[in-house]
Amino acid sequence: MKKFFQIQWAAALTFAEGIALFCFAGFVLISSVKSQSIESWETLIAEVFLYLLLAGSVIYISRGISNFRKRFFTPFLLIQLFIVIIGLPLLQDDQRLTQVLGSLVVLIALYALITGLIPVNRKKFL
C-alpha cells in the first residue's frame, strides 16, 4: 500500500489536475460564447479568470511538491481541499463533460489529500 500513496504520484496527478482545470476554463468560455446565453460578460470573464488562476496555482504548487520543497506542503493540502469544494458542484451540472471532469478533479484532489496526510509523506516535508 505504501507504493500506491507516493507523493511523486500525487504531484504528477495534481499537475494533470491543473491541466484539466485549464481545459475546463476554455470549455466554459467556448460553450458560453457558442450558446449565446451570456447574461453578464463580467461574470463570465471573472469565472474563467478564477479557473485559470486556480489551474496556474495548482500547476505551480505541484511542481514545488515534486521537488520536495517544504514551503509548498501546506498550500498543496489547502488547494486540494479547495478543489474538492469547487468540484462537488460540478458533479451536479447538466452537461456530461462537466460531471466527468468534476468527478476526475475531485478524485485526484482526494487522493492528493490522503497521500499528503499519510505520516510517511508528511515527515518528508516537516
Side-chain angles (χ1 to χ4, degrees):
M1 203 59 159
K2 287 182 181 180
K3 292 183 180 183
F4 183 71
F5 290 105
Q6 298 246 346
I7 200 72
Q8 293 290 45
W9 286 40
L13 286 173
T14 304
F15 185 82
E17 180 182 58
I19 300 297
L21 285 169
F22 265 122
C23 293
F24 183 68
F27 171 73
V28 167
L29 181 64
I30 291 169
S31 65
S32 296
V33 170
K34 278 184 86 172
S35 69
Q36 298 177 352
S37 62
I38 301 169
E39 295 177 18
S40 170
W41 278 96
E42 293 85 11
T43 305
L44 176 64
I45 291 170
E47 180 181 4
V48 170
F49 177 74
L50 288 175
Y51 278 126
L52 290 174
L53 184 66
L54 179 64
S57 300
V58 167
I59 290 173
Y60 178 68
I61 290 170
S62 72
R63 298 295 298 157
I65 284 294
S66 65
N67 294 329
F68 292 102
R69 294 189 181 150
K70 292 181 181 186
R71 66 180 178 173
F72 287 99
F73 182 67
T74 302
F76 177 74
L77 295 177
L78 288 175
I79 206 159
Q80 296 308 314
L81 184 62
F82 188 63
I83 288 175
V84 168
I85 293 169
I86 287 175
L88 289 176
L90 296 178
L91 298 174
Q92 301 170 354
D93 196 65
D94 295 338
Q95 295 183 348
R96 181 71 60 193
L97 182 62
T98 305
Q99 292 173 347
V100 169
L101 185 70
S103 61
L104 177 71
V105 166
V106 168
L107 288 175
I108 290 173
L110 288 173
Y111 171 78
L113 271 173
I114 292 168
T115 302
L117 293 174
I118 291 177
V120 172
N121 293 328
R122 198 173 58 225
K123 288 179 184 177
K124 294 177 183 176
F125 294 96
L126 298 178

